[in-house]
Amino acid sequence: MDQPRDVAVIVGSLRKESLNRKMAQAAIGLAPPSLALELVEIGALPLYNQDLEAAPPDTWVAFRQRVARAQALLFVTPEYNRSVPGSLKNAIDVGSRPYGKSVWGGKPGAVISVSPGAIGGFGANHHLRQSMVFLDVPMLQQPEAYIGGADKLFDAQGGITNPAPKEFLQKFMTAFERWVKMHAAA
């Protein structure tokens, strides 16, 4: 068997017990063995400011290096005001700069949006896709993952309690595996 593909998992919510972090952990647990998923934290990244590029903060450097070595990207995000949280947008900006040195380009990606609401973060999902198109990240088209009612989805240990969403997530991760194989650089 080939080496597993390195997948950076970026969670848009900073809250320790966030539904999105739980979903990311569930996705990691259901990932095929050909994918090695790792959470990449974004909470300590200072707000992007081009004035800092002369001596970038260590957290920016470490984040950029980690994403640069990833072969694929999985975003798990809530929806804030029909868009992605500011922390996720900031991480995208940090990784896309300085101009011409983006760490995102060419890596296959996917997004799971998670919300207690009925539409499952539809707006955030599509807004993130729009940014990724500009950054040259080919995003998994099908299946789309809008996980609504997430406040009733997890048990006390963070496991998915309902078999239907768990089965969907398994199918999503299998489709993501195929997407990564088709689009990741060797």
Side-chain angles (χ1 to χ4, degrees):
M1 182 171 137
D2 294 331
Q3 282 289 101
R5 301 280 186 163
D6 179 14
V7 180
V9 179
I10 300 173
V11 177
S13 176
L14 303 181
R15 195 167 57 88
K16 181 181 172 188
E17 294 296 320
S18 86
L19 300 170
N20 289 271
R21 185 168 296 277
K22 290 176 182 179
M23 183 59 68
Q25 293 292 357
I28 290 169
L30 293 172
S34 67
L35 301 178
L37 284 78
E38 179 185 1
L39 286 173
V40 177
E41 299 296 340
I42 63 173
L45 294 174
L47 290 176
Y48 182 75
N49 177 345
Q50 188 174 350
D51 292 341
L52 301 178
E53 284 294 359
D58 291 343
T59 52
W60 286 7
V61 173
F63 177 76
R64 289 169 175 166
Q65 289 172 344
R66 175 61 189 97
V67 174
R69 95 171 169 263
Q71 296 169 291
L73 308 163
L74 176 62
F75 297 92
V76 184
T77 187
E79 180 174 290
Y80 292 0
N81 303 310
R82 295 291 187 253
S83 187
V84 296
S87 56
L88 179 53
K89 177 62 169 84
N90 183 58
I92 291 166
D93 291 345
V94 167
S96 71
R97 302 292 179 186
Y99 183 79
K101 297 189 179 185
S102 174
V103 298
W104 306 109
K107 299 175 192 309
V111 59
I112 302 170
S113 52
V114 179
S115 170
I119 62 173
F122 178 88
N125 193 305
H126 283 268
H127 199 205
L128 179 60
R129 288 173 181 276
Q130 186 177 26
S131 295
M132 293 297 106
V133 166
F134 177 76
L135 294 171
D136 189 30
V137 175
M139 296 294 281
L140 175 66
Q141 300 298 308
Q142 292 293 325
E144 295 174 299
Y146 315 109
I147 310 296
D151 55 330
K152 297 170 183 64
L153 192 60
F154 300 99
D155 62 24
Q157 293 74 40
I160 298 176
T161 58
N162 184 325
K166 187 173 184 177
E167 182 181 317
F168 171 78
L169 185 59
Q170 180 75 63
K171 289 178 182 175
F172 179 88
M173 294 307 295
T174 300
F176 181 52
E177 173 191 36
R178 287 191 305 271
W179 187 253
V180 170
K181 284 181 181 179
M182 286 178 17
H183 295 280

